[in-house]
Amino acid sequence: MVDLQQPGKSALQPSRNLLDEAVMRPSKQRTLSNTIVIKLGTSSIVHEETHQPLLSILSSVVETVVHLRSLGHKVVLVSSGAIGVGLRTMAIPQRPKSLSKKQALSAIGQGRLIALWDNLFGQFDQRTAQILLTRGDISDRTRYLNAVHTIRELLSMGVVPIVNENDTISVSEIKFGDNDTLSAITSSMIHADYLFLLTDVDGLYTANPRKDPAARKIDVVTSVADIRAQVSTSTLGSSLGTGGMETKLIAAEIATGAGVTTVITSSKQPSTVMDIIDYYTQLRFQLAPASGTASPVPRLQAMDLERVNATLSLRRPPHTVFKPSAVPMRDLKGWTSHTLYPAGGVIIDSGAYVVLSRRESGGRLLPAGVLGVRGSFASGQAVRILVRSPAEGMSGGKTTLPDPQQPENVIASLSRSSSSSSIADDLASDAQTIMDDDFHTTEEGEEESDAWDVKEVGRGLANYNSVQISRIKGLNSARIPQLLGYADTEYVVENVTIRPVVAVGPILDPQLTQQPGNSHPELAQSVAERLGVSLTPCMPQKFSNGEINVKIAESIREEDVFIIQSGCRDVNDNLMELLVLISACKTASARRITAVIPCFPYARMDKKDKSRAPITAKLVANMLAVAGCDHVITMDLHASQIQGFFDIPVDNLFSEPLMISYIKTRIDGWDDSIIVSPDAGGAKRVTAIADKLGVEFALIHKKRDGKSENAPERMELLVGDVRDKVAILVDDMIDTGHTLELAVRTLKDKGAKTIHALISHGLFAEADIENLQSLPLEHIVVTNTTPQKQHQVQCPKLITIDITSTIAESIRRTHNGESISLLFGDWADGRGLDIVN
C-alpha cells in the first residue's frame, strides 16, 4: 500500500487492462444511454484496520466509470470515506467518539479524498467536480432545485460529479451512514435509470453470509416493505463505516419509489456494474417487439425478472435488483416524501404533547418526553409524533388527548423534562449500555410499545436514528453523550408541527351527507387526506323555519382551525353555515380560524355598476370578519380588488399554473395556439398566460344590438387573429354558459382550427349542459372548486382539474407560518397535474 501523505504517481496510475479489455470487447448487443449513480461506501475506499486507501478498488471504479462514459452513459459518483482518509492522514488508530474530532478528521480527509479521485480520473483526462451536500440542503426546496440544476449541468458538460455529505458541519450524516439515502435522493433528483449500492457483499441475503452458511441471496425485490421480514438487517454498520443493510433498504425504498432501478452488488469487482447494465439491456431488447413495429423497448417495471431470467439463456451477474415503481412519484412529490413523509414514529407522553402544542416550545422534543419508537428510520428523516394511551384491553380506554389549557398537565410535563436524576448514580448502568454507535444491533422481538394504542398528533424531523432514540428515551438530555458517545443536540426531534384541526362546513358524518349544508364534502375529504389529518365532526342542522344550527363534536380549544366551505349550490345557506361555524369556533376558544373558500360567494358583485346597486362582496367580507374569521384563503377571485374589502389577511390562490400545465400536456399544438378572453375584463388573465406560454392572445367584446336589456347579443373580435390556430378560451367563471356559447361560435366563424375552454369555477347554475355538449368545443376544463360529478355525467366534454394539492399546501404553509407566494413558483411548476375522474 502507498502512504496517502506521499502518494507516488506510479502507484496511482490505474491499470488499463480492464478498460482496454472493455473497449476492445465486441459489442454483442445494442446499447441504451442511461444515467447511473454509483455509491461507494467507506469500507470500499479505505482498509478497515490500517485505513490505507484501497487503490485497486478505486482504480477499478475509475476505469468502470470512464468506460461507462465512453458508451454514452452519464455517471454520478457518491463517495464516502472522508473520516477514514482523515484517520490515515493523522495516524489515528480508531474512529474517535468525540464529535468535534470526527468533524476535524472529515475536514482533513475530504480534501485528500477528492485529490485522490481527481488524480485517478486525471489519468484518463476525465474531469470531475465535488458536490458537498447536507440533508438541510435537500430539505430546503430552493437549495434542492439548485443542486438538481448544478448536477444536470455538470453531466451535460461531460463531468463526473462526486457527491458527498458535508461532514465537517453536518452531524446526522456522520452518525447513520446517510450516504446510502443521499445516493438514493441524488438518483431521484436527476431521474437516474440505475442506482448501484456497492458494498462488501454481492447482494441482499436472508442472513449474514459471513456467519450463516445457509444464508440465501435474494435476486429480485419487488417490495421493500415485504422483504424486510425475510432478510437480516440486525447489523446496521461496520466498525469503520456508518451504514449497513438497513440503510440500503431505506435507500432502495426511496430510489425505487422515484422510478430508479436499484442494485446491490459487491465493490470488490466494480466492473460488475457494466455486466449488470449489459444484462438488463439484453433482457429488454430480447423482449422487445420484432423490428418494424412501433412499440418501444419494454421497461424493467413491466417485466417479470425472475421468470424472464429463467426462460432466457443469459448469464446473470451476482447482484440483488430492486424493481422500480411502475408509477414513479413526480419530482416534487418525491422530494416531499423524502423530507416530510414519516419513516417511523416517536411515541411521547401526554405532558410532552401539551408542551409541544405551545408555540414557546419551538417545536423541539427532549428525550425525557419519549416513551418509545415505532419503525426504523435514519436521522434527518421525518417521523410521526404519536401520543400514547393504553391499548384496548389493557386499561379499556381509547386515546384521549390532554387539554393544553390545564396547568397541571404543563407542570407534570415540565417537571419530567427537567428531571434532575443524578447522572453519577447511573454511570455504572450506563457503562453496560454504551457501545460504538457505528456498530449497533437492532433488538429482536416485540417491544412493549407495540401493544400501545396511539394517535398521531404531528410530525417532525428526527435528530437521531430509531436505535439511538430507543436508548435515550425517557432520560435527561444531559445523558446523551454518555449513552451515545456524542451529543449532536439535546433534542431528539425538531421542527415538530402539531397538526392543525381541519373543520368543514359540510356535514362530515356519511349518514348525514344529504342534509342541507353539504357544500363540497369530496374536496374537504381529499384535502384532509392530503394533509394526513382527520376531519373534525361538525353537524349542521336546519330547523323547520329555515334557521341553521351547527354543533362541533370535538374540543378545538387553542387549535388552528381551517373551515372548508365553497360558495356553490345553495349559496345563501352555505354562506350562513360558514358564518355560524366561524362564530361557534370563536366561542369555543379556537386559537385561529381560517375560512377556506375555494369559490368566493357574491364575487361578481364587487362594484357599483348601476345606480342603487349593492356591493355585496364587501358585505360578505364584513360578515366574515364580524363572525370572528382571522384569515381567508380563496381561489381565483373575480376581481383582485376584493382583497381590499377585508381588514384581515386574504390569500388569493391561482389555478393559472394548473391551467398552463394542462395546456402543455393535454392540448396538441399548443405552441401554435392563441389565448382568448371572452371579455375585456379578463385581459390581464389571458395576457399573463400567453406570456408564460410564449403565444399570442386575443380579446372578444360582447355588445347588444339595441339599448334594450332583451336585445340580442353578439360578439366581436377586438384584438388578435385566430384563423388556423388552436383557440384556448380562458375565463374565471361559467354560470349560464351563454357567454361561452357566443364566444365559441364567434371563434369558429373567425376560422379557429380547434377550440378549448379553460374556466376556473364551473357553477353551471342555469347552464344547459346538453347544449354545451353540442358546441364545437374539444373540451371544457374546470377546477373542482365546486362539485362537478353530476355535470361530468351530463357533459362528457367536461374535464375537472383537481385543486386539492394547492389547497392542502396552502393550509400547511399557513399553519407552519411559511410563504404562500412559493405556491406560484417552483412548487407550482414541478407538481404536475391531477384530473378528477
Side-chain angles (χ1 to χ4, degrees), residues 455-500:
K455 180 176 181 179
E456 181 180 343
V457 295
R459 294 181 182 180
L461 294 177
N463 286 326
Y464 300 91
N465 64 55
S466 52
V467 176
Q468 295 165 337
I469 295 179
S470 292
R471 287 164 53 193
I472 60 177
K473 64 184 180 183
L475 302 177
N476 190 290
S477 56
R479 301 180 62 182
I480 295 177
Q482 283 75 28
L483 290 171
L484 302 185
Y486 84 107
D488 181 358
T489 172
E490 64 178 329
Y491 302 103
V492 292
V493 182
E494 290 190 295
N495 299 315
V496 175
T497 300
I498 299 301
R499 69 182 188 182

Side-chain angles (χ1 to χ4, degrees), residues 94 150 159 180 214 271 307 384 481 487 489 583 596 613 673 690 749 815:
Q94 61 183 4
T150 299
V159 175
D180 288 323
S271 60
R307 184 186 63 81
R384 292 182 175 91
T489 172
S583 178
V596 182
S673 63
D749 293 341
H815 178 69

